[in-house]
Amino acid sequence: MQIDISDARVSFGSRVVFTGMTATFESGVITALVGPSGSGKSTLLAAMAGYQQLDRGDISYRNGERSLSPDSGLIAWVPQGSNALGTRTALDNVMIAPLSEGRAPDDAREVATRALVDVGLGDRADQRVRQLSGGELQRVSFARALASSKPIIFADEPSAGLDGANTELLGALLAGLSSHATIVVATHDPILIDAAEAVVRLRSEHIHAP
């Protein structure tokens, strides 16, 4: 599913977060949304999901010939850090996504197991997540997103708090997720930028009022 942004502007009171933002996030492509801290990456993700209203401009999803308004129900989120249930296994945590969509338990288990294999944690499925490393926890979050049926995945600064080695592993993971979904990673980490297939930058002209 493609995401099109045209002349988007968001402000809070007198503070303009970004303005004049025009970009396309191609379907089935991993795109890095790049900009320094405070440039509005998280705000733009929220607007792309339909959570944040634009002052002006337009954001739409395109599925073939159909054009849709932003819909958070089509999006799986990978947050900064981890929101995993620490006393449950990696598999339990990933199964939450397909179970919440109404899949039967056996089907949900199969989907979750496949997602854990995709992120390199197939051998950790029965491990309680409180025993996993920070990098492994972040990969559990990606597995849960993959186990959903959502056509769009947003990851907001997923390498925050990770060391260089784990960020490299996360970059390698991203590079292997082509065609799973339309994936947008908000980041300023050069490792994750290099792992992406496309880059959209929040440049200075998008941050100041006209």
Side-chain angles (χ1 to χ4, degrees), residues 5-184:
I5 304 174
S6 177
D7 194 29
R9 170 185 164 122
V10 169
S11 63
F12 300 114
S14 61
R15 176 175 174 260
V16 176
V17 182
F18 56 79
T19 189
M21 180 67 194
T22 296
T24 295
F25 296 84
E26 298 287 350
S27 177
V29 170
I30 300 168
T31 301
L33 176 60
V34 176
S37 296
S39 63
K41 297 188 298 298
S42 295
T43 301
L44 183 56
L45 284 183
M48 290 163 66
Y51 292 132
Q52 174 63 52
Q53 187 174 357
L54 298 176
D55 298 339
R56 72 165 186 240
D58 181 69
I59 297 176
S60 63
Y61 300 165
R62 183 165 296 281
N63 186 13
E65 295 302 314
R66 295 181 64 204
S67 183
L68 308 171
S69 298
D71 182 353
S72 60
L74 298 175
I75 295 166
W77 287 83
V78 177
Q80 292 186 34
S82 172
N83 57 0
L85 302 175
T87 60
R88 305 306 296 254
T89 66
L91 182 60
D92 289 339
N93 273 273
V94 177
M95 283 180 66
I96 290 171
L99 285 172
S100 68
E101 295 173 350
R103 290 181 182 249
D106 287 347
D107 187 24
R109 178 178 293 274
E110 181 180 346
V111 170
T113 299
R114 186 164 59 247
L116 283 167
V117 170
D118 286 343
V119 302
L121 292 177
D123 61 342
R124 308 286 270 173
D126 295 325
Q127 192 86 34
R128 294 189 186 277
V129 295
R130 66 185 177 189
Q131 299 173 312
L132 300 180
S133 70
E136 288 170 334
L137 283 171
Q138 194 61 277
R139 284 189 278 161
V140 168
S141 294
F142 268 103
R144 186 165 52 211
L146 291 173
S148 75
S149 60
K150 312 294 188 184
I152 301 171
I153 297 174
F154 286 165
D156 190 6
E157 299 284 2
S159 63
L162 297 184
D163 60 21
N166 275 308
T167 301
E168 291 279 2
L169 288 173
L170 186 58
L173 163 64
L174 280 173
L177 293 183
S178 289
S179 79
H180 281 73
T182 300
I183 302 176
V184 181

